Amino acid sequence: MRLNGPRGEQKAETGGKPKAIAEKANAGEADAGKTGAGKADAGKASAEKASAGKAGAGKAVGEGASPASGEGGGDTSGRPSGGGRPPRRRGIRIVRWVALCLALLVLGASAAGYLYYRHLNGNIRKSKLNLGDKQLDRSVPNAAGQRPLNILLLGSDSRGSKENQDLGGAREDADRPALADVQMLVHVSADRSNMSVVSVPRDTRVTIPKCTDPADGKVYKETSSQIINTSLQNGGPGCTVATWEELTGIPVDHFMMIDFAGVVSMADAVGGVPVCVKSNIHDDKSGLRLEKGTHTIKGEQALQWLRTRHGFEDGSDIGRTHAQHLYMNAMVRQLKSGSRLSDPGQLTDLAEAATKALTVDKDLGSVKKLYDLGNDIKRVPSARITMTTMPWVQDPQNPDAHVIPKAGDADKLFSLIRNDIALDGKDKKKPEPAEAKGTGKKGAKVAKDRIAVTVFNGTGTAVLPPAAGRGSDIASYLVKQGFTKATSDSTPRAQADTTITYPKQTQRADALAVAKALGLPEDAVRLSPSAEQVTLVIGGDWREGDTYPKPADAKGEAKKADGKKSGGSKPAAGDEDPKNGKGKPENDNKAPESADPLNGDDASACMEVNPINRF
């Protein structure tokens, strides 16, 4: 079976993008190396770019120490012909002259650095983050006050420029709005110890919420009959962000989008990326042709790799997603090693390529912010990076072309990210602070009538209005249960999961008592210094009833859709493991096998080639 989008194989071939995560990280590194506003090292690299002369800037700094110390700069031309010491007044004039030249050179270099910094900022295109009527609240901070970071990476198939037409073909499509054929959510944990990446196949049928184009005010109605790549046509990347929040319940903090030409320039700037194929491959749709084994690809060949769908695995968009993960992991490992980025000129090229290639949300639209973001991501060890694909099943409405999220497994994957749990299953249980021991245990005695609880209604989503009266109804229910200080707050909220937060460890027992009264699981109770008191936010997962609904039994959900093909071949959580036959469930704090997880340190990954595309 081949899963092809409604716009046809030849027109909607994906414009690669997964590079964007590694690109953004290095845009920051490049900027740090040569652009930091007003800094000497920034001026140094920028002087190279702005013809101010890197060597000249370095020379000025090197010569400055001696004149500044009053030694006259060691200028032998200042000596009298007889070799004696120059007059004191003349020596002072020389010192002043050298100091003035030095100041002008340093200021000139710094000015050039600032101008180059502004030049790079001007390269970056910006757009509104979310075009829907609603957006989710930001992720809840952890006990240390740190927030997770969620970045949506998009690859556009725009043919709007001649360069993109030459690379992507289909000139007759030059005037049509671009499709977001590559979509990945990058989740960086709150403590920056791990990173999770989730790809959603472009052929996934989803609910695209109502979006308003910021350019002309055009309103695009909500639809549930389109696939996710078309969301970009409803006003821009901000509509794709709104679609992701509706699909996953994960709040998106930023987006980054790249087109065909950007992929090529970025691949050239980093000097190529190693990839592997298990057989000879020739995909005449993308143009990719490689012999069996490992190759370092760059430029247009890198774009061909990222766009290839027919040549990999079963010829569907799923195989293309796996190839993009392999490429992205290899690029991250390479950039972390620094082996390709030791030359200042190469760093300059990367800074230029990265900033020209990107469209980002307005809150990320500067070199400094990209640099800070890159520094955040650099802290994550490659061994703690996990690449996954949304678990899927064929779409009953169009099984030969589209997919939909796989019930149970997709929900689990999204829930792990919402709760900032690493997909590799290696999260360490955080030790309980000493002051909390004995205060947060189940069954601990608490005075319910002394616990102040604020209840928010966060049940609204991108496509569903808030369930009326949820905050006041649950607050009233808590009062009946003895929590006489429970009140509701009508401030709008939007959250996928119901949570209870508390500001101090000594209040954990109070929060657990509220959770017990409502039937909430203990993992819904979280320490958050940003909370003013015990705070309950009723999420989209609890739209009715006085007690929290028990999770539905997801066992066997993977076998839905009339036995049609689905993502992954391993048993779903709770199913029997054929290897041990003990019916042992998967690790609850790990990505399901149907998500095809790939570790960032796995350099052995090699792509299966579709038999019909071998030579």
Side-chain angles (χ1 to χ4, degrees):
M1 178 212 58
R2 308 177 73 170
L3 301 172
N4 301 314
R7 299 200 172 262
E9 300 166 355
Q10 73 279 15
K11 292 186 180 180
E13 280 297 337
T14 182
K17 127 93 267 0
K19 298 182 61 326
I21 179 169
E23 298 155 9
K24 74 180 165 347
N26 271 284
E29 292 178 49
D31 304 334
K34 58 195 54 35
T35 60
K39 293 183 180 179
D41 57 345
K44 183 177 178 182
S46 58
E48 175 186 346
K49 189 76 182 177
S51 300
K54 186 172 83 172
K59 181 180 178 184
V61 174
E63 293 174 350
S66 182
S69 64
E71 298 294 329
D75 187 356
T76 57
S77 65
R79 296 176 182 171
S81 59
R85 292 184 65 185
R88 179 176 177 82
R89 180 175 296 177
R90 186 177 181 188
I92 292 174
R93 284 200 305 269
I94 292 173
V95 170
R96 287 176 177 172
W97 183 84
V98 172
L100 177 61
C101 289
L102 173 63
L104 291 173
L105 283 170
V106 172
L107 286 173
S110 296
Y114 177 66
L115 290 174
Y116 185 50
Y117 175 82
R118 291 190 62 183
H119 160 72
L120 290 176
N121 279 340
N123 286 344
I124 304 169
R125 296 181 293 273
K126 307 170 194 66
S127 187
K128 188 176 179 182
L129 176 63
N130 193 313
L131 302 184
D133 286 346
K134 303 180 182 69
Q135 65 184 82
L136 295 173
D137 287 348
R138 294 186 66 194
S139 300
V140 175
N142 65 8
Q146 303 163 304
R147 289 185 191 270
L149 191 60
N150 298 310
I151 309 150
L152 184 60
L153 306 182
L154 303 174
S156 157
D157 76 342
S158 170
R159 270 81 167 180
S161 69
K162 184 180 184 302
E163 188 176 8
N164 279 336
Q165 291 169 16
D166 291 341
L167 293 168
R171 287 173 174 77
E172 66 274 15
D173 285 344
D175 294 330
R176 74 148 166 84
L179 298 165
D181 277 346
V182 179
Q183 303 192 18
M184 295 182 179
L185 184 77
V186 177
H187 171 85
V188 186
S189 66
D191 62 5
R192 305 309 188 245
S193 68
N194 64 85
M195 186 168 78
S196 303
V197 179
V198 178
S199 291
V200 167
R202 69 149 202 186
D203 296 319
T204 304
R205 183 172 60 83
V206 295
T207 295
I208 300 175
K210 171 187 171 185
C211 291
T212 303
D213 190 328
D216 58 13
K218 181 177 180 179
V219 175
Y220 295 86
K221 295 181 179 179
E222 174 193 329
T223 175
S224 54
S225 62
Q226 297 295 313
I227 56 176
I228 197 166
N229 71 338
T230 65
S231 59
L232 186 63
Q233 298 182 331
N234 292 10
C239 193
T240 306
V241 168
T243 302
W244 267 79
E245 289 199 347
E246 168 59 24
L247 173 67
T248 66
I250 301 167
V252 177
D253 300 299
H254 300 292
F255 74 79
M256 304 176 73
M257 184 169 70
I258 191 170
D259 60 14
F260 291 155
V263 171
V264 171
S265 61
M266 289 296 297
D268 286 340
V270 300
V273 175
V275 296
C276 174
V277 288
K278 293 184 177 180
S279 310
N280 295 347
I281 178 175
H282 180 214
D283 180 3
D284 58 1
K285 298 293 184 183
S286 69
L288 181 68
R289 185 183 180 92
L290 294 172
E291 293 184 356
K292 176 182 178 180
T294 299
H295 304 266
T296 297
I297 58 176
K298 60 192 293 188
E300 188 170 353
Q301 195 174 42
L303 177 63
Q304 292 168 350
W305 176 277
L306 295 169
R307 296 184 66 203
T308 292
R309 62 184 301 177
H310 305 286
F312 294 133
E313 298 181 358
D314 67 350
S316 76
D317 195 48
I318 309 302
R320 175 166 57 190
T321 297
H322 297 159
Q324 291 165 355
H325 291 168
L326 186 155
Y327 181 98
M328 190 171 177
N329 270 348
M331 170 170 277
V332 170
R333 289 194 300 269
Q334 186 164 282
L335 293 176
K336 278 182 168 291
S337 73
S339 59
R340 300 279 181 171
L341 296 174
S342 57
D343 178 69
Q346 199 171 28
L347 285 171
T348 302
D349 291 343
L350 183 59
E352 284 286 340
T355 52
K356 286 180 179 178
L358 293 175
T359 299
V360 301
D361 62 279
K362 293 178 180 179
D363 287 339
L364 196 59
S366 74
V367 168
K368 182 182 185 305
K369 290 177 181 178
L370 287 169
Y371 170 65
D372 291 342
L373 177 62
N375 268 349
D376 260 357
I377 293 175
K378 276 174 55 181
R379 292 164 56 187
V380 180
S382 57
R384 296 300 312 281
I385 297 174
T386 306
M387 303 275 178
T388 62
T389 302
M390 177 196 75
W392 53 273
V393 294
Q394 290 175 280
D395 179 9
Q397 294 185 17
N398 195 346
D400 291 330
H402 301 160
V403 299
I404 58 174
K406 182 178 184 180
D409 282 12
D411 297 332
K412 176 183 176 181
L413 184 67
F414 299 150
S415 178
L416 289 173
I417 292 178
R418 286 196 302 266
N419 289 286
D420 198 25
I421 299 172
L423 300 184
D424 59 9
K426 296 179 181 178
D427 268 352
K428 295 180 180 179
K429 184 174 177 60
K430 297 176 178 61
E432 188 178 14
E435 67 269 23
K437 292 181 178 179
T439 65
K441 304 298 182 182
K442 290 183 178 179
K445 297 284 185 179
V446 295
K448 295 180 181 180
D449 60 342
R450 295 184 180 181
I451 301 174
V453 185
T454 303
V455 183
F456 289 88
N457 181 359
T459 58
T461 70
V463 297
L464 289 175
R470 289 298 290 154
S472 57
D473 288 349
I474 297 301
S476 297
Y477 177 78
L478 285 172
V479 170
K480 293 177 183 177
Q481 299 302 308
F483 297 89
T484 56
K485 290 189 176 181
T487 59
S488 63
D489 190 316
S490 60
T491 303
R493 293 286 185 97
Q495 188 169 293
D497 299 309
T498 299
T499 59
I500 296 177
T501 54
Y502 57 97
K504 299 178 182 178
Q505 282 289 356
T506 52
Q507 294 174 287
R508 179 168 174 79
D510 295 345
L512 286 173
V514 175
K516 183 178 179 181
L518 298 171
L520 276 165
E522 187 173 348
D523 60 12
V525 179
R526 305 169 190 173
L527 172 65
S528 177
S530 65
E532 295 183 0
Q533 59 184 44
V534 176
T535 302
L536 166 65
V537 179
I538 306 165
D541 58 345
W542 187 16
R543 294 180 63 86
E544 59 184 11
D546 292 333
T547 55
Y548 187 72
K550 293 183 179 180
D553 182 4
K555 185 175 180 178
E557 288 284 1
K559 300 171 184 176
K560 278 190 173 183
D562 300 322
K564 292 185 174 68
K565 185 178 177 182
S566 65
S569 57
K570 302 291 182 66
D575 283 355
E576 181 176 279
D577 186 338
K579 292 182 180 179
N580 59 33
K582 297 178 182 179
K584 184 179 180 180
E586 292 182 22
N587 182 349
D588 284 341
N589 290 337
K590 186 177 181 181
E593 288 298 327
S594 57
D596 296 314
L598 177 65
N599 183 267
D601 260 359
D602 186 357
S604 66
C606 199
M607 286 302 300
E608 293 281 356
V609 176
N610 189 341
I612 66 174
N613 289 91
R614 296 174 185 170
F615 72 92

